[in-house]
Amino acid sequence: MNGEHEPGLPWALPAWRCPACGHAWLPEASACPACGAVGAERLALSGGGKLLLPPVVCNVAGDDPAGASLVLGLIELDEGPTALVEIVDSPPRRLEPGTTVTLTLRRVGCDESGARRYGYKAAVAPTTSARDS
Amino acid sequence: MSEAAVMIAGVGMTALGVHADRSALDLAVEAASEALAQAAQRPQGVWVSSLAAARGDTSAAFEARLVDRLGLAPAPATLISAAGASGALAFCAAAQAVASGAVETALVVGVDKLCGLSPARARELLRATMAPEPLSGVSPPPAGVFALLAHEHMRRYGTTRRALSAVAVKNHANAVHNPRAHLRRAVTIEQVGASPLVADPLRMLDCAPLSDGAAALVLSCGRGRVRVAGIGCATGGVLWSARRERAEFTTTRAAGRRAYEQAGKRPGDIDVVEVHDAFTIGELCALETLGFFEPGQAAAATEAGQTAGLGPLPVNTDGGLKARGNPIGASGVAQLVTLTEVLTRGFVARDDDPARCGLAHSMGGCDATAVVTILERNE
């Protein structure tokens, strides 16, 4: 994570928008992935988004019965970039495309020295109306 | 190839599966020795592909030790690692060296030994084939990415769970005829659908196993029975999630276009195909992207038997990564060994004329690196 403090998220990520075609993306690239234009504008992320596909439960535990599974979702952020992210705090129901989510800073693992690493996961928003209000 | 004609002069491959009592070096030596004996030529350069060796899981200076074991010193050796595309990329580099005249004869050896890794280390190795996602900084499990690809294909084209199973059933049926296959057993549609869930909708029998094994080829300038007619490589779009078009392999499309153009071929000219089926959905997407079927039509074609061993377009006649096995760094080379054998000896499971032209598709990650190679029998 390349953390920089900007409005919107506790640990803001820079995203980018192409002034020529309007495409928005993550992570940084020197030219627009859609049209190749240079001169991208920096974009602040609000932390809101929605699922584009039903998230998948990945059984990453293998033969470790104590291991957990993770729920992986493809989301589109409100500002346009798309990304894969772990879905957390999900209610016990099947999540459909269009379900709103909010990015939340969580522990994502440890580095080789054992230090905790943090990154964004996506929590299912309580209700659409609550987030839109 | 546009310069000197590059021929395949010799091939070799170990059995794929579990080799608990043999080192990766032993496996590489066995495959390379078989290919060198068949070619009866001494290579001036060696290209080695391996995921585990490149990440320090096999041994230090693996490629140098291989050259010494084969008695090829001081031939220069290069280790290439690009996840699942490693072997095909090593083949491409060697073919370019022969075509350019830099060497007259080249040896390509793909090898990996993955069955002995701890489950945690194996998962770590597999995840390392995918780029970290920007929001989390963490690489997703490959099965999760391909499961989402399957959802996208289902949403867009109505592809069914049964069609994914049909790919696995077909490739396992092909592996029954392959004495070197890791999973040499037939499975049914029902067995695939009832196998343990890995990442919904993908089940265990949708996923290729991790295997031990090695494969090798000798490339020669002008001598051999099979000609390298065209190779296309492409890299990009490493984050599947950030792509605008997610139901096809756009990097594979670019590699395929280059290979077809170089070979002067079209999809209709191809008699036999090997595609990267680490997950069953990958085979369907690859066949559509490479122009063998219209988008969304590969599933119905597979269920109708068009890609079966006895069908009009045999696909993964050796069982594919799915059932032949997936020693990751060797898989791209193994595909080309299979195609060479089909082009020179004919199909194992059918009696009609041997194929004249074959295509192999290999990729790293979820289409981050793609290599498409077209081989043609030298009449």
Side-chain angles (χ1 to χ4, degrees):
Chain A
M1 300 260 321
N2 180 21
E4 296 180 30
H5 293 287
E6 290 189 353
L9 287 171
W11 190 1
L13 284 169
W16 310 90
R17 188 192 304 282
C18 175
C21 72
H23 179 62
W25 71 88
L26 281 167
E28 184 173 7
S30 55
C32 172
C35 75
V38 295
E41 298 165 349
R42 202 173 166 116
L43 195 62
L45 298 176
S46 64
K50 66 179 179 184
L51 288 171
L52 290 179
L53 292 169
V56 297
V57 179
C58 305
N59 293 317
V60 294
D63 53 1
D64 174 10
S69 58
L70 73 84
V71 181
L72 191 66
L74 175 66
I75 65 168
E76 181 180 58
L77 296 166
D78 290 343
E79 294 77 16
T82 55
L84 287 184
V85 66
E86 185 178 343
I87 308 296
V88 294
D89 305 339
S90 171
R93 61 179 167 84
R94 181 179 169 83
L95 299 177
E96 298 296 335
T99 301
T100 54
V101 297
T102 304
L103 295 182
T104 174
L105 200 58
R106 299 286 176 94
R107 181 181 172 185
V108 295
C110 297
D111 64 19
E112 289 175 356
S113 69
R116 292 180 174 187
R117 294 176 56 219
Y118 290 85
Y120 282 111
K121 300 184 180 184
V124 175
T127 63
T128 302
S129 57
R131 207 177 68 79
D132 289 345
S133 61
Chain B
M1 309 293 290
S2 56
E3 300 100 335
V6 180
M7 303 290 184
I8 295 177
V11 298
M13 192 180 344
T14 68
L16 307 187
V18 181
H19 290 283
D21 56 346
R22 303 185 66 200
S23 69
L25 194 58
D26 290 338
L27 296 171
V29 167
E30 178 187 328
S33 298
E34 184 185 349
L36 289 167
Q38 203 176 92
Q41 297 175 47
R42 184 181 176 86
Q44 294 86 45
V46 181
W47 282 261
V48 180
S49 59
S50 175
L51 183 66
R55 298 185 67 82
D57 281 280
T58 301
S59 68
F62 182 83
E63 67 278 16
R65 296 176 67 202
L66 178 61
V67 165
D68 274 349
R69 275 280 297 269
L70 293 170
L72 298 176
T78 307
L79 178 63
I80 290 182
S81 185
S86 302
L89 211 54
F91 179 87
C92 178
Q96 287 171 343
V98 174
S100 70
V103 297
E104 189 171 327
T105 304
L107 173 66
V108 182
V109 186
V111 61
D112 255 318
K113 192 166 186 302
L114 305 169
C115 297
L117 299 175
S118 70
R121 180 62 188 142
R123 283 195 298 276
E124 192 181 342
L125 206 61
L126 283 176
R127 276 197 176 202
T129 65
M130 312 298 287
E133 283 289 326
L135 292 177
S136 63
V138 173
S139 295
V145 179
F146 279 85
L148 286 163
L149 168 64
H151 275 292
E152 176 68 3
H153 209 267
M154 290 169 161
R155 183 190 68 81
R156 185 106 171 243
Y157 301 119
T159 304
T160 62
R161 174 54 260 180
R162 188 178 178 85
L164 300 179
S165 297
V167 173
V169 168
K170 184 262 296 177
N171 289 349
H172 273 264
N174 288 342
V176 169
H177 303 287
N178 180 2
R180 295 182 298 217
H182 187 167
L183 303 177
R184 199 179 176 195
R185 62 174 190 270
V187 299
T188 65
I189 290 274
E190 292 72 25
Q191 286 172 326
V192 180
S195 60
L197 204 54
V198 175
D200 186 24
L202 299 181
R203 294 179 174 272
M204 185 175 287
L205 285 173
D206 288 298
C207 310
L210 289 179
S211 311
D212 300 339
L217 301 105
V218 174
L219 297 180
S220 173
C221 180
R223 284 187 287 175
R225 293 179 61 194
V226 170
R227 184 172 72 91
V228 182
I231 306 179
C233 303
T235 307
V238 66
L239 292 173
W240 174 83
S241 59
R243 292 183 172 195
R244 303 181 93 185
E245 175 50 68
R246 299 190 192 90
E248 68 171 52
F249 291 150
T250 50
T251 303
T252 289
R253 180 182 297 285
R257 192 180 297 125
R258 290 171 187 160
Y260 284 132
E261 187 179 313
Q262 197 174 71
K265 303 288 184 189
R266 296 174 304 163
D269 298 322
I270 306 296
D271 302 309
V272 57
V273 177
E274 290 279 319
V275 294
H276 193 92
D277 61 331
F279 301 95
T280 49
I281 183 63
E283 177 166 322
L284 300 179
C285 290
L287 291 174
E288 292 166 1
T289 299
L290 290 167
F292 295 109
F293 301 102
E294 291 296 316
Q297 298 302 307
T302 301
E303 290 192 83
Q306 291 186 42
T307 59
L310 296 174
L313 182 70
V315 176
N316 289 332
T317 61
D318 56 1
L321 280 67
K322 174 69 212 64
R324 176 196 65 226
N326 186 20
I328 295 175
S331 286
V333 183
Q335 290 179 323
L336 295 164
V337 169
T338 293
L339 280 189
T340 302
E341 291 178 342
V342 169
L343 293 174
T344 52
R345 301 177 194 167
F347 293 104
V348 173
R350 55 197 287 174
D351 299 326
D352 51 357
D353 282 344
R356 286 174 173 72
C357 192
L359 178 147
H361 158 256
S362 184
M363 67 182 190
C366 187
D367 194 41
T369 301
V371 183
V372 176
T373 307
I374 298 176
L375 303 182
E376 189 168 35
R377 182 153 39 117
N378 196 27
E379 302 289 0

